[in-house]
Amino acid sequence: MHESPSAPHASFFAPPDERRRIPVDDFHAEYPALSYDPDNERETRSHTSYVRRCLDDFVRSTEGHPVRSFTWGPEHRTQVSRHPVYQGAPYAAEAFGSLPTLSRSVLRTTAEPFDYTAAESTLAYGDQTSGTSGAPLTVVYSPPYMAQYQSLNIIKVAVRARIRGLGDRPVFSVTLTDNPSLGAGLFFTDPLDLVGLQLIWHVDTGDPESLARMTAMLELLNPEAVSSKPNLFTVLLDHWAREGRPAPCAPRFGVSGGAMLTDTLRKRFQEYFGAQVISSYGISEAGYLGSECDHGTIHLDESLHERFEVVPQAGREGSESGSENGTEAGELAVTSLSNRCMPLVRYRVGDMVRMSRNTCGCGAPGPVLDELRGRTTIVFRLGDGQKLSPTRYMDLFQKNPGLLEYQLTQREPRSFLVRVQSRAGLTPAERAALGAKVRDDIAAGMPVPVEVAWEECVFEQEGAKFARFRSEVTS
């Protein structure tokens, strides 16, 4: 059922027209390799009211209406006390600034940091962090949280940028990924029935046939939004330029996330597609954290997440830094309690920022990011115009269970070194076999022959500056 015109979000969406919608069965028959889960669809739609409320709260926040206030209190202590990571005297503190901060490295040292039955549901959804700043973490979402996470991320990007008339095409968004852990990809529908289908599509940039299928899909579906990471956008734009191919579709906007969007890439995307590209900011542990408004400022989303703050870097615990009305510099932390399976309290995102709560030129109040540092993922330049997006190797942890951490460094255009840290308990022979396997997996993923050496390494606790992929090759 479509929303009434009085809904806060209604002005952002095109009038409903069922002729624009593709029947799910027909779409799945056309793209059988894509995963579609009807049980997930039913579960998501059972939380339609929650998703609608999340969207309406977000729209109000973009229009300058006050968001819910947050004060740490007994009800919050009771909520999180069920989770092992929050048990102990430090989390009984009454003052929010006295609570310890939480980081990925702390979670990795706790066998079961969260109680996943705390959502009072027999169903939970699992995922993993991307692993670009440390070994992947398992993330678990409660069903309501997953419903809004899956449905609203790209919609929020569009609303924040004040793009209207959304939902006027059968396919709303295509997210391109080079992470093979998703298989061929998947698609899902909007529980609010405001926009068309949303797709996640896997492309192997080293496989010409995969690139051709992806290009043909974009030509046929012509989505409203094309979303990806900056490094993958770079590789794809280079591929289409080498082929002399015009833009395969005419998106209304692009979404770039997972790393910082450079001015050069922004300009390339906009000139090629004839559409704006919007920088989105998020983490797997909490989903959408914020995105750019139409003035180019990244606003953080306190309509869903309770609070953002800046804390001292590198685990130097202390009280909140700076004045809430001024500009603060340090590491960003988020408190997000809506995911009952995995609530986050003063959780270090791992990025260095400058944050303020000054009202932006767009009229919406803070918090906003005046500067974001530390979220970069490079593209390996292999010579002769060949490039590689290294995030294709995010599945190495799944393929090699004994792998604790690795770092891939490009020393020459076609010469690499991979440092490998194995999990405790492996014998010397098992560690050697693991290193050789990781080396061979990396070499096999390269589009051209390369040399890959490997060595054992013990990595220090990661911080905001850890980089899984490095290059010593100068441009």
Side-chain angles (χ1 to χ4, degrees):
M1 179 179 294
H2 295 284
E3 298 306 304
S4 66
S6 61
H9 59 252
S11 64
F12 285 94
F13 297 90
D17 185 346
E18 295 302 331
R19 292 172 297 180
R20 289 197 296 262
R21 299 293 177 251
I22 304 176
V24 167
D25 291 342
D26 292 351
F27 188 84
H28 206 192
E30 184 69 23
Y31 295 98
L34 295 181
S35 296
Y36 170 71
D37 186 346
D39 292 334
N40 174 62
E41 167 107 359
R42 285 188 289 272
E43 178 65 33
T44 297
R45 288 184 176 271
S46 73
H47 301 290
T48 295
S49 295
Y50 176 72
V51 176
R52 182 186 303 117
R53 186 168 68 251
C54 288
L55 178 57
D56 289 347
D57 288 347
F58 180 77
V59 171
R60 290 188 182 98
S61 73
T62 68
E63 295 175 343
H65 297 286
V67 298
R68 55 182 176 160
S69 60
F70 170 70
T71 302
W72 177 258
E75 71 278 14
H76 303 117
R77 291 196 294 273
T78 299
Q79 175 191 347
V80 304
S81 64
R82 292 188 57 178
H83 301 273
V85 72
Y86 298 121
Q87 293 172 3
Y91 283 101
E94 293 186 6
F96 182 78
S98 298
L99 298 170
T101 59
L102 185 64
S103 67
R104 293 179 177 94
S105 58
V106 171
L107 297 186
R108 291 190 184 98
T109 64
T110 307
E112 291 292 341
F114 294 101
D115 175 5
Y116 302 130
T117 65
E120 300 178 351
S121 171
T122 58
L123 179 66
Y125 295 90
D127 196 3
Q128 280 194 327
T129 59
S130 64
T132 52
S133 60
L137 286 172
T138 298
V139 181
V140 178
Y141 309 107
S142 65
Y145 198 83
M146 182 62 181
Q148 66 79 30
Y149 179 104
Q150 174 178 279
S151 306
L152 297 184
N153 282 4
I154 294 180
I155 288 177
K156 284 185 173 183
V157 171
V159 169
R160 173 64 74 183
R162 296 182 179 175
I163 299 173
R164 299 182 182 272
L166 303 171
D168 65 351
R169 301 185 193 179
V171 173
F172 175 60
S173 67
V174 172
T175 297
L176 301 171
T177 179
D178 57 357
N179 187 343
S181 66
L182 292 172
L186 56 91
F187 73 94
F188 50 90
T189 67
D190 171 24
L192 302 181
D193 292 325
L194 296 170
V195 298
L197 298 177
Q198 298 193 52
L199 281 67
I200 300 176
W201 184 282
H202 173 258
V203 57
D204 181 350
T205 57
D207 179 359
E209 292 186 1
S210 179
L211 286 164
R213 286 194 298 271
M214 177 269 302
T215 302
M217 176 272 299
L218 290 176
E219 290 176 339
L220 181 63
L221 299 182
N222 193 30
E224 291 181 68
V226 176
S227 173
S228 195
K229 301 167 295 202
N231 57 326
L232 186 52
F233 271 142
T234 297
V235 172
L236 295 177
L237 288 170
D238 286 349
H239 166 72
W240 287 318
R242 285 196 304 271
E243 289 196 336
R245 177 185 290 275
C249 59
R252 297 187 59 200
F253 63 101
V255 179
S256 177
M260 289 184 290
L261 175 64
T262 65
D263 291 341
T264 299
L265 181 56
R266 186 190 297 272
K267 182 179 179 181
R268 286 191 67 192
F269 183 100
Q270 292 179 168
E271 289 179 347
Y272 185 69
F273 283 103
Q276 64 179 309
V277 57
I278 305 162
S279 183
S280 180
Y281 182 44
I283 57 174
S284 299
E285 300 93 305
Y288 173 91
L289 297 182
S291 59
E292 291 177 324
C293 68
D294 54 337
H295 284 233
T297 302
I298 293 180
H299 291 251
L300 298 174
D301 179 17
E302 283 187 331
S303 72
L304 177 68
H305 309 296
E306 275 68 17
R307 185 164 186 181
F308 293 92
E309 58 180 320
V310 172
V311 298
Q313 185 185 5
R316 295 193 299 271
E317 301 293 348
S319 60
E320 298 169 78
S321 59
S323 167
E324 193 166 281
N325 293 323
T327 299
E328 305 169 79
E331 187 174 352
L332 186 68
V334 60
T335 294
S336 183
L337 306 178
S338 300
N339 180 7
R340 308 291 287 192
C341 280
M342 196 170 173
L344 302 175
V345 178
R346 303 196 76 193
Y347 184 70
R348 293 176 177 273
V349 173
D351 297 322
M352 302 303 295
V353 304
R354 290 180 61 85
M355 186 185 82
S356 69
R357 291 182 176 271
N358 301 320
T359 298
C360 174
C362 71
V368 300
L369 294 184
D370 298 315
E371 183 181 3
L372 171 62
R373 292 175 286 146
R375 292 175 65 87
T376 58
T377 301
I378 66 172
V379 173
F380 290 138
R381 302 173 186 274
L382 308 176
D384 300 328
Q386 293 285 344
K387 295 180 182 178
L388 177 76
S389 165
T391 48
R392 66 174 293 132
Y393 296 122
M394 287 296 95
D395 67 334
L396 286 180
F397 292 99
Q398 292 177 309
K399 294 169 66 175
N400 300 279
L403 180 63
L404 179 63
E405 185 54 277
Y406 77 97
Q407 187 176 62
L408 182 62
T409 300
Q410 184 183 31
R411 300 183 294 184
E412 299 290 343
R414 298 191 182 183
S415 175
F416 292 81
L417 171 67
V418 57
R419 295 181 174 92
V420 176
Q421 180 177 1
S422 59
R423 295 189 178 277
L426 270 63
T427 66
E430 290 170 334
R431 293 200 305 270
L434 173 67
K437 176 68 162 50
V438 171
R439 175 201 63 198
D440 293 345
D441 286 344
I442 289 172
M446 296 284 177
V448 294
V450 298
E451 294 180 358
V452 182
W454 77 276
E455 65 183 25
E456 291 190 84
C457 180
V458 176
F459 293 93
E460 297 179 358
Q461 177 176 310
E462 82 277 357
K465 294 185 178 179
F466 177 86
R468 164 135 320 107
F469 307 113
R470 303 172 58 251
S471 180
E472 298 171 353
V473 178
T474 59
S475 299

